[in-house]
Amino acid sequence: MAKGNKRISIADLAAELGLAISTVSRALNNAPDVSGATKAQVWALAEKWNYQPNSLAASLRRGRSNMLGVIVPHINGAFFPAVVHGIENGASQAGLNVLICQSNEDARQEQKHVEALLKAQVDGILVSASNTTEDLAHFERIRAQGTPLVFFDRMPALPQACGVVVDDYRGAYQVMEHLIGQGCRRIAHLAGPPHLNTTAERLRAYREALLAHGLPFDEQLVVPLDNSTTDAGAAAMRRLLGLYQPPDAVFSAYDFPAGGALQLLEERGIRVPQDVALVGFSNEPFTTMVRPRLSSVDQRGVLMGEAAVQLFLQLLKRTELFSGRRIVLKPQLVVRESSVRR
Amino acid sequence: MAKGNKRISIADLAAELGLAISTVSRALNNAPDVSGATKAQVWALAEKWNYQPNSLAASLRRGRSNMLGVIVPHINGAFFPAVVHGIENGASQAGLNVLICQSNEDARQEQKHVEALLKAQVDGILVSASNTTEDLAHFERIRAQGTPLVFFDRMPALPQACGVVVDDYRGAYQVMEHLIGQGCRRIAHLAGPPHLNTTAERLRAYREALLAHGLPFDEQLVVPLDNSTTDAGAAAMRRLLGLYQPPDAVFSAYDFPAGGALQLLEERGIRVPQDVALVGFSNEPFTTMVRPRLSSVDQRGVLMGEAAVQLFLQLLKRTELFSGRRIVLKPQLVVRESSVRR
DNA sequence: TAACTTATCGGTATCGTTTCCGAATATCTT
DNA sequence: AAGATATTCGGAAACGATACCGATAAGTTA
């Protein structure tokens, strides 16, 4: 072992081999203008001395850090972890490290994370916007810096934003057709935030599917959720049951509130799906553990993450070509006991 | 705006103000040997030009990157996301960025991630070992580099490893005392991997609690789980039900298998908790959604993450003082319907 | 008044790479 | 055999910041 405990650099290798630093550098990078013989020498010594390149220095010189910044609202539930997993798949294939940040549905934290990521010189930023994000200045700033930016799932209303989303409208529409096909005529909707593209689309599909099938759209049947917890779902369900004409089906924009609604219905002795059919959204693992099993819509998390990285890589090559480009994934309705009437 | 689209450096600021680069640097760092007047100048211009320090350059020079590497087996379920959340809390307080990697319970991926993190010059590494980690060479390498290393939850058998864990023995022992107190006399255990400290401790507590209460230890009642899924739990439960003398209680080392066992018992028409009492481990959110609600043990994820960062910070100051130091958190038994007999 | 602190700032080496450019040798043309 | 082209390597300038050391001016002390 050379140099005692100190970390060794290409200068050390160069000195030992009597080569120039630049030659060692190109040898390690397998450049074409280094002979095979010297490459072999360099590689051998690097191996022997366990040389670890200082990626900070390389990044500084190159101008890029080989790091990908990711901002998610949270990593609870199953969806965002799945996306993160997909991102890591794609990133490791491309030789990129991934910096993950949680905004906790807080716009201020999101801004902070954007600043931090830009300061850390990430090569690109992948973000799913928080619930509370109204001001979009920090996203503009990313573009201004020339850093590739791609959204996933939650896309803010930016004209030329790139991103990959699931076709929420289509998924929700399938839910509605399914419920209507099961004979439900008075379908309620537990709605997410109206300013989120995802939940807005689900609501739009809810409405348009009703009208398309000659069913009335009753505003009383649309209950906004304060958050995506079981409690919020139970509260919303309680309100629906207090109606003069309660619904015979509930389509929830999220799974956990659907679970909460299920609990309340159980307490009240209302049968699911016979009295009230129930469908959620996200296909959380717990949907198969409750009784009756909860129908839901799968959002293709892993696929979404991988697609987001692909889009980023394309953006890296030719920014202008992919401006405004968005990839739309097909969701998958998973029908279970909670919505099947016999 | 100056310099067109280019990112500006302290050299630009220095040139504009007629100062030396070094002075600008110290001004920005609020060094004591810069006058208040010039500091104000520098800060004003930095603000006006939206100067963003290049942390790569600073890190290169300083020798530390302000980044914390984290390796988790996965971010499914609720526990590890909670830990990650705690880590982010602690890290952001300390001004550190967090690099999160998933090993997917694969020792090879874990090694890869260690290499990547070391190459990325992280200031420290926080890791919960994978299921399949036998060879510990990559952990030794971290120590050899002088990089602080702290484990959480899953700790390998390294003599002087630092880490923060939950008292699995205590938690499991409480479970057993609870079950015995409920009148259960033939308690089975769905066991996790024997080479993991966590699950090994749970098994040990299972055994010792039995003996301490004068109950026999029957090897047939200990069923190893292939993984921590519901299917594995159902399979294990099936095996238990095939026994000549089936158990009257099951303590599962994880929640999801407990959920699977619950499903199977329901299918067979076996009442929980009257015929078989059931307790899991991890306190997953779904435990409150199934019927009967599942008793479980909370592992204090957020707290664990924060404690891990604290331990890292101490390690950073005085490595030698905290060698072998481990923080032990108290778990919390949460009793629900699945284990309460009346 | 000379010497000595103190406050403030400039110059420069350095961190470890990459990359451009040019030099030296070797190989290939007619 | 002389010039043209390829191959292989070395030198040196960056990248952007930090830190050591020395210089200058002002204030203090004897």
Side-chain angles (χ1 to χ4, degrees):
Chain A
M1 191 64 59
K3 294 276 175 183
N5 206 2
K6 198 72 178 56
R7 186 171 173 145
I8 64 168
S9 69
I10 55 172
D12 300 323
L13 299 180
E16 172 78 8
L17 295 173
L19 290 173
I21 293 180
S22 56
T23 304
V24 175
S25 172
R26 281 170 309 186
L28 290 172
N29 289 345
N30 205 6
D33 60 344
V34 176
S35 74
T38 52
K39 275 182 188 173
Q41 278 187 51
V42 172
W43 291 343
L45 188 64
E47 174 76 17
K48 180 181 168 194
W49 282 5
N50 185 31
Y51 164 72
Q52 297 282 89
N54 186 326
S55 55
L56 285 178
S59 296
L60 173 60
R61 182 58 235 255
R62 289 198 148 112
R64 58 195 168 79
S65 61
N66 263 17
M67 288 198 313
L68 199 54
V70 178
I71 304 178
V72 290
H74 56 79
I75 50 178
N76 305 324
F79 174 64
F80 284 115
V83 179
V84 167
H85 194 231
I87 290 174
E88 285 183 339
N89 284 353
S92 74
Q93 251 186 330
L96 296 168
N97 286 95
V98 180
L99 259 171
I100 298 173
C101 317
Q102 295 180 249
S103 66
N104 291 311
E105 304 283 15
D106 179 12
R108 275 214 336 271
Q109 282 195 46
E110 189 177 89
Q111 288 177 27
K112 288 273 185 196
H113 283 140
V114 166
E115 302 296 343
L117 290 176
L118 287 179
K119 222 161 68 174
Q121 306 268 93
V122 294
D123 296 342
I125 299 184
L126 274 43
V127 32
S128 196
S130 95
N131 241 344
T132 56
T133 300
E134 304 274 347
D135 182 14
L136 303 177
H138 53 299
F139 294 143
E140 304 277 15
R141 212 170 316 151
I142 299 176
R143 299 190 73 89
Q145 294 243 350
T147 304
L149 168 65
V150 9
F151 292 96
F152 56 92
D153 194 53
R154 309 241 195 109
M155 295 200 56
L158 278 173
Q160 46 179 355
C162 299
V164 34
V165 295
V166 79
D167 191 341
D168 288 279
Y169 182 85
R170 181 195 176 103
Y173 206 95
Q174 286 179 350
V175 168
M176 293 303 292
E177 284 187 323
H178 163 63
L179 286 173
I180 294 170
Q182 293 291 318
C184 303
R185 288 295 172 266
R186 193 162 166 74
I187 306 173
H189 181 49
L190 308 190
H195 58 278
L196 243 50
N197 59 309
T198 54
T199 44
E201 287 291 277
R202 293 171 205 176
L203 174 59
R204 189 167 70 86
Y206 164 78
R207 179 184 193 132
E208 296 186 2
L210 283 180
L211 301 181
H213 288 79
L215 293 173
F217 172 77
D218 184 350
E219 285 197 2
Q220 288 190 315
L221 292 181
V222 176
V223 183
L225 293 165
D226 291 337
N227 50 58
S228 58
T229 63
T230 57
D231 287 343
M237 191 71 230
R238 195 172 299 120
R239 185 163 143 190
L240 284 172
L241 290 180
L243 254 40
Y244 177 67
Q245 283 190 321
D248 60 358
V250 175
F251 165 39
S252 171
Y254 300 115
D255 269 341
F256 278 95
L262 181 61
Q263 291 185 18
L264 188 79
L265 290 168
E266 181 202 29
E267 287 175 15
R268 300 280 177 98
I270 300 174
R271 296 170 306 168
V272 177
Q274 293 86 346
D275 301 329
V276 175
L278 208 51
V279 180
F281 210 106
S282 279
N283 202 22
E284 295 280 342
F286 85 82
T287 54
T288 67
M289 313 207 48
V290 296
R291 293 296 177 273
R293 278 175 263 257
L294 202 56
S295 300
S296 192
V297 178
D298 193 275
Q299 291 180 271
R300 326 302 301 278
V302 178
L303 206 61
M304 183 178 290
E306 290 170 345
V309 175
Q310 292 309 316
L311 189 50
F312 156 74
L313 290 174
Q314 295 179 323
L315 221 54
L316 203 56
K317 288 195 185 304
R318 357 185 45 147
T319 313
E320 65 298 346
L321 270 182
F322 294 91
S323 165
R325 171 84 175 273
R326 59 186 66 188
I327 298 176
V328 180
L329 268 33
K330 280 194 185 50
Q332 196 169 4
L333 172 63
V334 183
V335 175
R336 300 195 181 92
E337 303 155 1
S338 72
S339 63
V340 177
R341 291 172 156 176
R342 308 203 176 276
Chain B
M1 192 61 61
K3 295 278 176 180
N5 206 2
K6 198 71 178 55
R7 185 171 175 147
I8 64 169
S9 68
I10 56 172
D12 301 322
L13 298 180
E16 172 77 9
L17 294 173
L19 291 173
I21 293 182
S22 55
T23 304
V24 175
S25 171
R26 280 169 309 182
L28 290 171
N29 289 346
N30 205 7
D33 60 345
V34 177
S35 74
T38 51
K39 275 183 187 174
Q41 278 187 52
V42 172
W43 291 344
L45 188 64
E47 175 76 18
K48 180 180 167 193
W49 283 4
N50 186 30
Y51 164 72
Q52 298 283 91
N54 188 327
S55 54
L56 285 178
S59 297
L60 172 60
R61 186 58 235 261
R62 291 197 144 111
R64 58 193 166 82
S65 62
N66 261 19
M67 289 198 313
L68 198 55
V70 177
I71 304 177
V72 291
H74 56 79
I75 50 177
N76 306 324
F79 175 63
F80 284 116
V83 179
V84 167
H85 194 231
I87 291 175
E88 286 183 338
N89 283 355
S92 74
Q93 251 187 331
L96 296 168
N97 286 97
V98 178
L99 259 171
I100 298 172
C101 315
Q102 294 181 250
S103 65
N104 291 311
E105 302 283 15
D106 179 12
R108 276 215 335 274
Q109 282 194 46
E110 189 177 272
Q111 288 178 28
K112 289 273 184 192
H113 284 141
V114 167
E115 302 295 342
L117 290 176
L118 287 179
K119 222 162 66 175
Q121 307 265 96
V122 294
D123 296 341
I125 298 184
L126 273 44
V127 33
S128 194
S130 97
N131 240 344
T132 56
T133 299
E134 303 275 345
D135 181 16
L136 302 178
H138 52 299
F139 294 143
E140 304 277 14
R141 212 169 315 148
I142 299 176
R143 298 190 72 90
Q145 294 244 348
T147 304
L149 167 65
V150 9
F151 292 95
F152 57 92
D153 194 53
R154 309 237 196 113
M155 294 201 55
L158 278 173
Q160 46 180 356
C162 299
V164 32
V165 297
V166 78
D167 192 340
D168 288 280
Y169 181 86
R170 180 194 177 103
Y173 205 96
Q174 286 179 350
V175 169
M176 293 301 292
E177 285 188 323
H178 163 62
L179 286 173
I180 295 171
Q182 294 292 317
C184 303
R185 288 295 171 266
R186 193 162 164 73
I187 305 172
H189 181 51
L190 309 190
H195 58 279
L196 243 49
N197 59 308
T198 55
T199 44
E201 287 292 277
R202 294 171 205 176
L203 173 59
R204 188 167 70 87
Y206 163 79
R207 181 185 190 131
E208 295 186 1
L210 283 180
L211 301 182
H213 288 80
L215 294 173
F217 173 77
D218 184 350
E219 287 197 1
Q220 288 188 316
L221 292 181
V222 176
V223 183
L225 294 165
D226 292 337
N227 50 57
S228 58
T229 63
T230 57
D231 287 345
M237 192 70 232
R238 195 171 299 118
R239 185 164 143 192
L240 284 172
L241 291 179
L243 251 43
Y244 176 70
Q245 281 191 325
D248 60 359
V250 176
F251 165 39
S252 172
Y254 300 115
D255 269 340
F256 279 96
L262 181 61
Q263 290 184 20
L264 188 81
L265 290 168
E266 180 201 30
E267 286 175 16
R268 300 277 176 100
I270 301 174
R271 294 171 306 168
V272 177
Q274 293 85 349
D275 300 330
V276 176
L278 207 52
V279 180
F281 210 107
S282 278
N283 201 21
E284 295 280 344
F286 86 84
T287 52
T288 67
M289 314 206 47
V290 298
R291 293 297 177 273
R293 279 175 263 257
L294 203 56
S295 300
S296 192
V297 178
D298 193 276
Q299 291 179 272
R300 324 302 303 278
V302 177
L303 206 61
M304 184 178 289
E306 289 170 346
V309 174
Q310 292 309 317
L311 189 49
F312 155 75
L313 290 174
Q314 295 179 323
L315 219 54
L316 201 57
K317 289 196 185 302
R318 356 188 43 148
T319 312
E320 67 296 346
L321 269 184
F322 294 93
S323 164
R325 172 82 176 274
R326 58 187 66 189
I327 298 174
V328 179
L329 268 32
K330 280 194 183 53
Q332 193 168 6
L333 171 63
V334 182
V335 175
R336 300 197 181 91
E337 303 155 2
S338 72
S339 63
V340 178
R341 293 172 155 175
R342 306 206 178 275

